[in-house]
Amino acid sequence: MSPAPTVLVLGGLGFIGRNFVPYLYENKLASEIRVVDKSLLITANLNPKQKEAFDNVEVKQKDLVDPASIREVFTREDDSSYDYVFNLAAETKYSQSERIYEERVYLLSVRNAEEAARRKVKCFVELSTAEIYQSDKNPSKEDEKIKPWTIIAKYKHKAEEKLKTIEGLNLVILRPVVIYGTGATMGLVPRIVCGRIYQYTKEEMKFLWAKDLKINTVHITDVVRAMWHITTWYEENEKANKGTLIYNLADQGNTDQEKINKHISNIFNIQTGFHGTITSNFAQLHLDNTTDEINDKHMRPWATLLRRNRIKNTPLSPYLDKELLYNNALSVDGTKITKETGFEYEVPQITDEKIQEMIDDFIVLNLWPVND
């Protein structure tokens, strides 16, 4: 039997990485795991399961834009190449300057991919985003119109296009929709935090736009499983040097605002609703003011809850960026990876239980206000 593959995880302390590394470790899938991130391990809010995994792999703090650092993290003790490289590193905060995204999304991906090609890595997996597709209520497939509707997505797509041209790069691009699950701090989390706030204020929680606005989802368990599945399938089926492969990641639940609100309503026992088209269109015309008003309305009671529960630091926030308040549908067909590679999703749709798992994990880490 050949030895297990060696793995390099770039940006491994983020949401996806802190789930992917334990998956590799617990299932003994890799003979060597190196994790690289700009953050220090000691500053990461890891739960016990994640902490055990990271305590048993190599973790380096490095700037993954800097060429010298990139060469160092790709260099193993015997100077051989890693078998698989997973690029999870990118700036994820919205509404930053385009210069930041140029450097920390585009250049980061390109420089690390070029190093992977130079070292003849067997498979380089680039985590992109489904926000690159044109907003449409009909599910987008991998070959459909590209029209990024966030600045991050714009630079993710720019990186994708450049990576496709790198000679010798064995490239797989994964385009997930909204990822949720243990360890998330963005995506659905601000809405879940809002649910806790409205439980406290005893008011109805209402969001902009209609109930059928698509916000498709995929659970983190399926994302990390798909990442590993695609690399082993890629190698076993001898896909190297045969062109770039692209796959969407989306569950079969066709999640929309109504479904998300229903789960939040069930968990917090609150009333939920929507402002509708007329009010939402007016809000969009004055989006800067609308964003400030919405965030001010939510941040004050959230701060009160944190103070009463003696929580001084938490990455959780109800803050909603204006880029995410536009009427943009995220509707994606995630079945190609199943049809072509045999991958099967384990979490077919979002449930109350899966959201509650996220909250329970926040409570364990003392990041969530339990008491009013």
Side-chain angles (χ1 to χ4, degrees), residues 184-199:
T185 57
M186 301 176 72
L188 299 183
V189 172
R191 291 173 183 256
I192 297 171
V193 170
C194 286
R196 178 66 181 94
I197 290 168
Y198 284 94
Q199 181 189 45

Side-chain angles (χ1 to χ4, degrees), residues 58-102:
E58 182 186 11
V59 181
K60 287 179 173 285
Q61 185 206 19
K62 292 291 178 183
D63 178 0
L64 288 169
V65 179
D66 176 63
S69 295
I70 292 170
R71 288 192 295 272
E72 181 182 339
V73 302
F74 271 79
T75 302
R76 299 179 64 215
E77 285 189 7
D78 62 1
D79 206 36
S80 63
S81 297
Y82 283 96
D83 294 313
Y84 305 148
V85 177
F86 298 86
N87 183 27
L88 315 178
E91 177 59 60
T92 57
K93 292 180 182 177
Y94 291 95
S95 294
Q96 305 293 301
S97 72
E98 295 213 21
R99 179 187 59 80
I100 290 176
Y101 298 124
E102 172 75 21

Side-chain angles (χ1 to χ4, degrees), residues 11-20 22 43-51 54 92 179-190 192 218-221 224 314-317 354-365 367-368:
L13 282 175
F15 168 40
I16 300 174
R18 66 181 59 199
N19 284 275
F20 184 52
T43 65
N45 289 310
L46 301 179
N47 64 31
K49 173 181 170 182
Q50 294 165 347
K51 190 174 186 305
F54 279 89
T92 57
I179 308 172
Y180 71 100
T182 300
T185 57
M186 301 176 72
L188 299 183
V189 172
I192 297 171
V218 62
H219 194 268
I220 186 63
T221 297
V224 300
T314 177
L316 309 180
S317 171
K354 290 299 181 184
I355 294 178
Q356 188 62 51
E357 282 180 7
M358 298 167 66
I359 297 171
D360 291 343
D361 189 63
F362 296 146
I363 293 171
V364 168
L365 296 171
L367 303 175
W368 185 265

Side-chain angles (χ1 to χ4, degrees), residues 122-178:
K122 293 178 181 178
C123 187
F124 183 91
V125 177
E126 174 77 5
L127 261 289
S128 187
T129 174
E131 291 174 4
I132 69 169
Y133 294 114
Q134 177 174 271
S135 172
D136 195 330
K137 65 180 181 180
N138 297 314
S140 295
K141 295 184 178 180
E142 287 80 353
D143 58 355
E144 297 201 19
K145 185 171 182 179
I146 300 297
K147 189 179 180 182
W149 47 270
T150 65
I151 303 176
I152 292 174
K154 171 184 172 182
Y155 283 91
K156 280 287 190 181
H157 181 245
K158 182 179 177 182
E160 282 190 22
E161 292 303 293
K162 178 61 177 178
L163 264 56
K164 292 176 187 177
T165 69
I166 297 175
E167 187 175 352
L169 182 64
N170 296 315
L171 177 63
V172 176
I173 296 170
L174 298 178
R175 295 172 177 165
V177 288
V178 175

Side-chain angles (χ1 to χ4, degrees), residues 211-222:
K211 63 183 181 180
D212 60 353
L213 178 66
K214 301 299 181 185
I215 308 177
N216 284 182
T217 53
V218 62
H219 194 268
I220 186 63
T221 297
D222 283 326

Side-chain angles (χ1 to χ4, degrees), residues 221-238:
T221 297
D222 283 326
V223 174
V224 300
R225 290 179 55 252
M227 287 164 57
W228 187 252
H229 168 87
I230 203 64
T231 49
T232 54
W233 176 85
Y234 186 95
E235 186 176 7
E236 289 168 1
N237 288 271
E238 300 179 344

